[in-house]
């Protein structure tokens, strides 16, 4: 993606974000068919994992962590699934709590810095695999930041679980991203879209656990900062939104990564400001930065109208494949 160029018919970060998610082709042929597993979490909750098995049990497994309010049916997930199938790899999308179509049970949800949950999911994915079978991981947007936080916290132990990781359009500076998505067009379109599903889920959580948070304050929340202040931060052990965004951001800790890591961000991403992205001097030797001028947020469309989104999984997946055993 470092050499990515957007098609001339789709100019600007917003079009390169919205069009791929809604209208671009994801796969050639039928959409992927998943096999769903339900895992019980250490705290007695559950997560749903959608999987595609490989013909060879020892084939590499690609684990994808989705973005905010995403799922295995997000455009990028289906494109990654097609990439993995074409390579003969197994593929898995562990859903963050509440994102698989059924509300989870515990008085918590998920968040951008949820590295402990990422670690548990990766260990569960690795369990039972044949000796030497490789595991690769990619994360998109929120899932990318959480995956990076895991790699940072795991340090030298990360290579016991994965061969390499990649983060696509991750908001590695959560405060900068939160401010950007809360302004102007972004607030009218993206913030409204996210809150339209996040608020009902939060209210369902309140019905499960009366008194968990202030209902009126949640209903009044007009941006992600206010929503996180009422819901996300206190439910996950943070003092407030600023504490959550500060401690959850991957950017300050990229020097600590000890596993091959790719970080992909378009410079015209509508809600990941270019000036918030890491510079080469701010990352360790195990981190590769791809920062193309165009691509939007998890867009990177290619081809003639309606275009397709296969290019990003192919290039990111190809980079991950370079780290498989020869």
């Amino acid at each position: 993606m470092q050499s990515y160029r957007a098609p001339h018919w789709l100019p600007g970060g917003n079009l390169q974000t919205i069009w791929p998610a809604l209208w671009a082709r994801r796969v050639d042929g039928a959409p992927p068919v998943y096999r769903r597993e339900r895992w019980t979490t250490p705290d007695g909750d559950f997560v749903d994992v959608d999987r595609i098995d490989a013909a060879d049990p020892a084939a590499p497994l690609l684990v994808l962590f989705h973005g905010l309010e995403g799922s295995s049916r997000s455009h990028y997930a289906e494109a990654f699934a097609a990439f993995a199938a074409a390579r003969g790899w197994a593929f898995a999308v562990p859903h963050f709590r509440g994102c698989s179509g059924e509300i989870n049970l515990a008085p918590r949800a998920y968040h951008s810095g949820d590295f402990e949950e990422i670690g548990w999911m990766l260990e569960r994915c690795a369990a039972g695999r044949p000796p030497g079978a490789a595991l690769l991981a990619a994360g998109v947007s929120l899932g990318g930041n959480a995956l990076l936080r895991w790699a940072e916290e795991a340090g030298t132990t990360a290579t016991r679980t994965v061969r390499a990781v990649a983060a696509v359009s991750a908001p590695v500076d959560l405060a900068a991203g939160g401010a950007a998505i809360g302004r102007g067009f972004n607030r009218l379109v993206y913030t409204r879209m996210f809150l339209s599903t996040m608020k009902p889920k939060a209210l369902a959580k309140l019905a499960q656990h009366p008194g968990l948070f202030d209902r009126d304050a949640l209903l009044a929340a007009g941006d992600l900062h206010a929503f996180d202040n009422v819901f996300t931060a206190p439910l996950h052990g943070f003092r407030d939104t600023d504490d959550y965004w500060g401690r959850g951001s991957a950017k300050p800790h990229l020097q600590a990564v000890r596993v091959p890591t790719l970080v992909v961000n378009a410079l015209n991403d509508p809600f990941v400001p270019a000036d918030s992205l890491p510079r080469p001097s701010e990352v360790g030797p195990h981190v590769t930065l791809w920062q193309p001028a165009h691509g939007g947020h998890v867009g990177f469309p290619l081809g003639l109208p309606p275009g397709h989104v296969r290019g990003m999984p192919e290039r990111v997946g190809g980079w991950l494949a370079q780290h498989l055993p020869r």
Side-chain angles (χ1 to χ4, degrees):
M1 303 310 298
Q2 75 272 37
S3 60
Y4 169 80
R5 298 185 66 177
H8 66 85
W9 59 272
L10 204 57
N14 286 306
L15 280 176
Q16 291 164 20
T17 299
I18 296 169
W19 184 278
L22 297 180
W23 297 296
R25 295 190 304 274
R26 307 173 179 194
V27 300
D28 290 326
V33 177
Y34 295 110
R35 172 178 64 83
R36 176 159 289 189
E37 294 180 351
R38 176 160 291 187
W39 295 349
T40 300
T41 63
D43 61 349
D45 204 350
F46 70 89
V47 295
D48 289 327
V49 184
D50 284 351
R51 310 191 68 149
I52 299 176
D53 299 318
D56 179 1
L61 168 62
L62 175 59
V63 180
L64 180 75
F65 296 100
H66 62 77
L68 182 65
E69 295 299 274
S71 75
S72 63
R73 289 301 173 193
S74 295
H75 64 290
Y76 51 83
E78 294 195 339
F80 266 108
F83 165 82
R87 290 250 177 168
W89 295 358
F91 182 70
V93 182
H95 289 89
F96 293 120
R97 303 193 197 199
C99 290
S100 63
E102 184 175 341
I103 196 71
N104 65 301
L105 305 176
R108 59 155 295 171
Y110 66 103
H111 63 89
S112 294
D114 211 352
F115 62 84
E116 293 178 337
E117 189 92 308
I118 293 283
W120 175 77
M121 289 173 167
L122 287 173
E123 289 177 4
R124 182 68 187 264
C125 284
R129 303 260 299 151
L135 192 153
L136 303 166
V140 174
S141 195
L142 176 148
N145 185 82
L147 178 60
L148 291 175
R149 287 292 293 115
W150 169 79
E152 293 162 354
E153 293 289 329
T156 57
T157 67
T159 54
R160 299 176 189 170
T161 306
V162 298
R163 299 278 181 169
V165 303
V168 179
S169 299
V172 293
D173 181 335
L174 294 175
I181 202 172
R183 294 191 296 260
F185 178 87
N186 290 348
R187 184 185 181 101
L188 291 174
V189 176
Y190 304 116
T191 295
R192 182 175 296 177
M193 175 191 70
F194 286 130
L195 291 181
S196 70
T197 58
M198 292 164 68
K199 283 188 175 182
K201 285 183 182 179
L203 292 174
K205 185 62 56 184
L206 185 63
Q208 284 180 324
H209 303 278
L212 190 61
F213 58 84
D214 186 331
R215 182 177 186 274
D216 291 339
L218 181 117
L219 292 174
D223 57 26
L224 295 186
H225 188 281
F227 178 91
D228 284 346
N229 220 37
V230 176
F231 183 80
T232 313
L235 263 64
H236 300 100
F238 300 100
R239 182 184 66 251
D240 54 21
T241 297
D242 294 336
D243 181 44
Y244 158 40
W245 286 359
R247 290 164 55 192
S249 294
K251 181 181 175 181
H253 312 287
L254 288 169
Q255 292 277 357
V257 173
R258 296 293 182 269
V259 65
T261 297
L262 176 65
V263 183
V264 182
N265 292 94
L267 298 180
N268 70 344
D269 188 319
F271 41 93
V272 180
D275 61 7
S276 73
L277 296 178
R279 298 183 294 272
S281 61
E282 296 176 298
V283 305
H286 299 277
V287 177
T288 298
L289 300 177
W290 287 358
Q291 296 178 352
H294 302 104
H297 188 77
V298 202
F300 304 104
L302 289 170
L304 298 174
H308 65 81
V309 293
R310 298 188 299 274
M312 183 268 288
E314 288 170 357
R315 297 189 198 187
V316 172
W319 185 91
L320 289 168
Q322 294 175 17
H323 301 277
L324 292 173
R326 300 293 180 181

